[in-house]
Amino acid sequence: MGNSPMFWRIVRRLITANYGRLFVILLALGAGAAISSALLNLQIDASRRLTTEFRALGANVIVAPRDTNANSGGGTLAQELLAELPTENAGKPVPAVAFLYVIGAVAKAGEIQHQAAVIAGIAGQGFTQIRPGRRTEYLADLEKDPAACEAGAKAAALFKVHAGDSLHLRNQGREAACKVFAVVATGGAEDSQIFTKLPTAQLLANLPGRISLVQLSVTGTPDSIQHFISTLSGRLPSADVHGIKQLAEAEGKLYNRISGLLTATVVIVLLLTSLCVMAGMSNVAIERKNDVGLMKAIGGSVRRVTQLFLAEAILMGIVGGVIGSAFGILGSIWLGKTVFGVAAQPRWIVYPVSVGITILVSIASAFPLRRLASIRPANVFRGEA
């Protein structure tokens, strides 16, 4: 494009020749940029939001024994396997917790009557992320005690225990005791279980150094999680590594639907914006026939005339995109709170992308101005064009 002062002076006069039309075009470009940036920001934030919500449901990847025949030595895994698991995926930490399940007899300390219950020994990092729910009672001072344990809400009610009480555990003549430091409500099967330290469960089951399975909470897109599972399966040939199909499918389908809806809306908004701007540019083309004819008559080339109108379109796209995209990103915060219940986090990569799209829309909408390149000065002066 030209870089002479005269070139930019002409561009400025072209833009400001009709303030009413300029306002309408900038309003259309700004509105399109605002809606597009808001929806694009929501689309990016939706992935993080859905991932967070689904991870709150608990583990989504399981590492289990491939051979479940206890008589042949199967049914459990070596505890050392826990140290071989990846600690992150796509830059996000991966909580992993080993479990050893024992069906034993449980009673409140001092009680004679024992009742059957599932005792789950645990070891690893991120147990509260793996197991959904909330603690209704909690004594932090007891949590680090080697004999500490948690009771599910139903188990606590059954054995009439609260945080600070002790439980007596036994299985096939082996006995242990634990102190309840928390009562947890999950709404699932965990409410009927007792969660102890892994060595306690190994003692009761007489399975030193063994675990039943490992649960992991892997953050990422469905494709990223599937790649994680495939890689881990190759690393652990003796174990069965699989995802929880219902969670993976539900997360993928829901995100694809939301993403598809938002993308389609953005495309429709951009098309409507382009039509609005194109209508304004058609009027511009009609009004500027004489101006173009005069410029050509005094030696202006078709290339220079095209550069003038291209510069005009780009400048309007920049102004409309910069202002509209800023409002759109701010608006997406409110939309996120309305749709997801939590304000969307601004993704600033959306800002330049939205501005760039608006500039492209502005340039494409200037298509009617291309007809001016074929204007013949003689016809204009004779009043024929």
Side-chain angles (χ1 to χ4, degrees):
M1 291 187 185
N3 54 9
S4 65
M6 179 59 71
F7 178 88
W8 294 109
R9 190 177 299 120
I10 296 174
V11 171
R12 187 180 74 248
R13 292 296 299 272
L14 290 174
I15 293 176
T16 59
N18 188 322
Y19 285 105
R21 184 179 61 241
L22 174 64
F23 175 77
V24 171
I25 293 176
L26 288 180
L27 181 63
L29 290 172
I35 297 174
S36 299
S37 61
L39 295 181
L40 288 174
N41 192 71
L42 276 181
Q43 185 174 358
I44 296 175
D45 192 69
S47 175
R48 178 183 63 87
R49 185 65 56 194
L50 287 176
T51 297
T52 301
E53 295 296 332
F54 273 88
R55 290 299 73 76
L57 298 177
N60 60 342
V61 177
I62 304 294
V63 180
R66 190 174 295 278
D67 181 6
T68 58
N69 186 355
N71 294 328
S72 62
T76 60
L77 297 167
Q79 183 178 344
E80 291 78 8
L81 177 143
L82 187 61
E84 301 177 24
L85 300 177
T87 57
E88 64 176 35
N89 178 57
K92 302 292 181 63
V94 177
V97 178
F99 291 80
L100 177 63
Y101 294 103
V102 182
I103 299 178
V106 181
K108 183 178 181 180
E111 299 287 338
I112 300 177
Q113 186 68 30
H114 287 66
Q115 298 190 57
V118 176
I119 301 169
I122 59 171
Q125 300 294 327
F127 179 54
T128 55
Q129 296 170 264
I130 293 293
R131 182 199 59 194
R134 61 184 183 86
R135 288 168 171 167
T136 57
E137 298 181 31
Y138 179 58
L139 293 177
D141 294 340
L142 287 179
E143 185 172 5
K144 294 183 180 180
D145 192 309
C149 62
E150 284 185 271
K154 292 181 180 179
L158 176 64
F159 300 115
K160 299 179 181 180
V161 294
H162 298 276
D165 293 337
S166 296
L167 287 171
H168 182 256
L169 317 172
R170 69 185 185 189
N171 178 52
Q172 297 181 355
R174 294 175 289 273
E175 299 183 349
C178 71
K179 297 179 181 179
V180 179
F181 75 90
V183 176
V184 62
T186 68
E190 294 87 354
D191 284 354
S192 300
Q193 299 176 2
I194 304 296
F195 298 92
T196 69
K197 304 292 185 182
L198 182 58
T200 301
Q202 290 173 337
L203 171 65
L204 292 171
N206 193 28
L207 290 172
R210 308 299 293 181
I211 56 177
S212 299
L213 53 83
V214 180
Q215 296 185 12
L216 302 93
S217 181
V218 184
T219 300
T221 63
D223 290 340
S224 172
I225 295 174
Q226 188 58 48
H227 180 265
F228 178 91
I229 293 173
S230 300
T231 302
L232 190 57
S233 296
R235 184 184 299 184
L236 304 174
S238 62
D240 175 26
V241 183
H242 60 273
I244 298 180
K245 186 177 181 181
Q246 294 86 342
L247 285 180
E249 288 185 351
E251 182 178 356
K253 288 180 180 179
L254 185 56
Y255 176 71
N256 288 337
R257 288 176 182 175
I258 292 177
S259 178
L261 177 62
L262 294 177
T263 300
T265 305
V266 168
V267 171
I268 292 173
V269 168
L270 292 177
L271 286 175
L272 293 176
T273 300
S274 181
L275 290 175
C276 291
V277 177
M278 194 175 294
M281 290 297 186
S282 296
N283 291 331
V284 171
I286 295 173
E287 295 175 2
R288 293 182 180 169
K289 289 188 296 184
N290 293 338
D291 297 333
V292 173
L294 180 59
M295 282 190 286
K296 286 188 173 183
I298 62 177
S301 64
V302 174
R303 179 170 174 269
R304 179 51 61 101
V305 172
T306 303
Q307 287 178 347
L308 283 171
F309 295 127
L310 183 60
E312 180 184 8
I314 292 175
L315 287 176
M316 288 193 295
I318 291 174
V319 174
V322 168
I323 297 175
S325 298
F327 279 103
I329 290 178
L330 294 176
S332 69
I333 298 175
W334 173 80
L335 284 174
K337 191 169 185 179
T338 302
V339 175
F340 297 107
V342 180
Q345 181 178 343
R347 305 288 176 164
W348 297 112
I349 185 62
V350 171
Y351 191 76
V353 170
S354 180
V355 172
I357 291 175
T358 306
I359 294 173
L360 292 177
V361 168
S362 181
I363 294 174
S365 302
F367 179 79
L369 298 179
R370 293 185 59 186
R371 293 184 301 173
L372 297 176
S374 61
I375 295 293
R376 306 177 79 175
N379 292 341
V380 171
F381 293 145
R382 286 199 299 263
E384 298 176 0

